[in-house]
Amino acid sequence: MDQPLLAHRGCRSRRPLRPPGIPPELLHRQVRPLLRRRRGRRRAPLQGGRRERRRAECDRRGPHPRPPPSRLPAAEVLRRPRRHPGAHRRADLHDREHRRRVLLARQLHRDGSLVLVLAPVDERYAGAPLPRPARRRRAQDRGDLAAVDYQLHDFSFRGLSSPESAAASGAGHLLSFKGSDSLGTIDYVRRFYKGDNGIVLQSVPATEHSVMTAGTPERGDETDMFRSIISLYPSGIVSVVSDTYDLWAVLTKVLPELHDEIVTRDGKLVIRPDSGDPADILCGTAIQKNLPADKGVVELLWDEFGGTVNEQGYKVLDPHIGAIYGDSITVERAKDIVERLAAKGFASTNVVFGVGSFTYQYVTRDTFGSAIKATWVLRSGEGHPMRKDPVTDNGSKRSARGRLAVLVGDRGELTLHENVDAATEAQSLLQPVWADGEFIEYQSFRNVRDRLAEQAASLAARTETVAA
């Protein structure tokens, strides 16, 4: 039942005459005296004792510090509040609240800086091993090494804790790759990296299961849905999730019916399975030879569309067709897939991997021993080395000591030198870019990518030399 409303003088809002929970018989004892007291305070003048005390307090604190009204613009004079006898108490509360917010902001700035640094670094290291099997395999099958930049596609956005964490994680991913669906990373990179960042990320049109189920009757034929997607995107790469109902029916019935439309299209149609064991789905089970699942996705696509054989004898699918798998991809599974494809005679360029939140979220700073520690302090004008070394620890938490320098070793590897002098520290590859709340040097995202690519190429060259 609606409450009757009362609009009283001096208040723009309308309040219920009887608030919920107050019996009517108590209304005259609780609500109406309260309204009378409020009106009485507004109308009745201050009594002598209270008024004199407030005036004395105002005289003791002095006048309100502001310029004479004649020196202020008219609009500024109207905006300035009148001095109230209790304003000093509100000012004290405001000062305490301001100090509390400043301390909180400093803590968030400090801890948030660690999050901004450690999270992308951990995600980068989590995904860094994934291209290595592809690079090694492509060195053998002479595939396109530039395609490794798109060998791993970031699908982790929806599984992470927030858009901010997805953007930071996506930035770490993009240090090694260029394919991503975490579009918020573009704003993240533009905010924290000034200058020419180049192409931050690239993506392609792709369907999801809700699109396929909306355009296809339940357990019905998906041919018309595939045909409409091909006509909607007449050129470029388009990825279509293909296991909504029956993956093997798509590979053995739908695609053969659309063969001519696919091979004459100006672009690549990418088939995306999304359930089951990734290695068995892509490479086949090889248990029997009379079921589509025994051959796997890549071999079935080869049987229908064919392709070429490179100089090393590995099969490469027709450029109008391809495959991507983006469910439960880990380093071990990626390595298993490229090795099983090679055993069947297929190049690793035939498959792209989509990495999700399982790989990028189940990573902490302890996974790779990531930490930021103070190792040197200037005290009373004299430098002192510092080190964390708990006696209750097994040595894993022992930090570096003194001035540090990261230098290139004799074989091109990066080495950490502790307790160095200022001259050696100045030659370190690690140089400050931010200090005392200000940036000393800005660097673009492209600079970081190029530096990482150089180090990765140097590491790959040393690995091949050792293996030879």
Side-chain angles (χ1 to χ4, degrees), residues 77-92:
V77 173
L78 293 176
R79 283 199 300 266
R80 297 194 68 88
R82 296 181 59 187
R83 180 68 173 176
H84 189 273
H88 64 279
R89 289 190 290 271
R90 292 197 300 269
D92 292 340

Side-chain angles (χ1 to χ4, degrees), residues 111-401:
D111 297 344
S113 298
L114 298 182
V115 172
L116 291 176
V117 172
L118 294 180
V121 170
D122 288 343
E123 311 306 341
R124 188 265 155 188
Y125 277 109
L130 286 166
R132 293 176 186 172
R135 289 186 184 274
R136 286 197 298 267
R137 180 57 57 190
R138 291 184 184 189
Q140 299 175 12
D141 60 30
R142 291 189 180 182
D144 184 10
L145 287 177
V148 177
D149 292 340
Y150 303 93
Q151 189 76 8
L152 200 69
H153 200 88
D154 187 1
F155 285 164
S156 64
F157 185 99
R158 63 181 181 179
L160 293 174
S161 59
S162 66
E164 292 79 11
S165 62
S169 170
H173 168 88
L174 292 173
L175 289 177
S176 299
F177 307 96
K178 295 181 180 179
S180 173
D181 280 355
S182 297
L183 302 184
T185 308
I186 299 177
D187 295 332
Y188 179 92
V189 170
R190 289 174 178 174
R191 176 183 178 186
F192 292 104
Y193 294 89
K194 308 300 180 183
D196 182 15
N197 294 318
I199 298 177
V200 177
L201 64 83
Q202 291 178 296
S203 187
V204 300
T207 69
E208 60 177 2
H209 290 99
S210 61
V211 174
M212 306 305 292
T213 54
T216 306
E218 186 174 355
R219 296 292 176 182
D221 186 6
E222 296 183 86
T223 304
D224 293 338
M225 189 62 189
F226 270 80
R227 180 178 285 109
S228 64
I229 293 173
I230 294 175
S231 61
L232 182 63
Y233 299 97
S235 62
I237 301 175
V238 58
S239 175
V240 182
V241 62
S242 307
D243 70 333
T244 304
Y245 299 122
D246 190 345
L247 171 66
W248 310 118
V250 170
L251 294 169
T252 58
K253 298 179 181 179
V254 175
L255 296 185
E257 185 173 344
L258 302 176
H259 179 98
D260 295 338
E261 299 177 44
I262 294 174
V263 296
T264 57
R265 180 177 175 272
D266 183 19
K268 176 184 287 188
L269 175 66
V270 179
I271 303 301
R272 180 167 75 90
D274 196 50
S275 56
D277 183 271
D280 290 342
I281 297 299
L282 292 174
C283 306
T285 59
I287 298 176
Q288 301 175 0
K289 292 297 183 181
N290 56 350
L291 294 176
D294 300 331
K295 293 185 175 182
V297 172
V298 176
E299 186 174 350
L300 290 174
L301 293 178
W302 172 267
D303 292 344
E304 176 62 32
F305 297 95
T308 59
V309 179
N310 61 22
E311 298 178 1
Q312 297 296 322
Y314 289 95
K315 303 174 184 177
V316 180
L317 288 174
D318 185 280
H320 296 91
I321 198 71
I324 182 174
Y325 203 102
D327 180 65
S328 302
I329 295 298
T330 61
V331 177
E332 294 75 15
R333 282 176 175 163
K335 181 179 179 180
D336 183 34
I337 290 171
V338 296
E339 290 180 352
R340 287 174 63 173
L341 286 177
K344 298 184 68 173
F346 289 98
S348 59
T349 53
N350 295 309
V351 177
V352 174
F353 301 112
V355 61
S357 59
F358 179 84
T359 299
Y360 278 167
Q361 187 169 5
Y362 289 89
V363 178
T364 67
R365 68 188 188 97
D366 296 324
T367 305
F368 303 104
S370 301
I372 297 179
K373 303 296 181 182
T375 62
W376 186 87
V377 62
L378 184 64
R379 188 169 59 243
S380 300
E382 183 178 354
H384 298 273
M386 303 166 56
R387 164 176 283 181
K388 174 185 176 181
D389 191 7
V391 296
T392 54
D393 184 59
N394 59 4
S396 61
K397 290 191 175 183
R398 182 187 297 114
S399 62
R401 184 174 185 271

Side-chain angles (χ1 to χ4, degrees), residues 405-409 413-417 420 424 427-429:
V406 178
L407 305 175
V408 180
E413 73 281 4
L414 300 181
T415 58
L416 174 64
H417 298 262
V420 300
T424 305
Q427 300 176 1
S428 174
L429 296 179

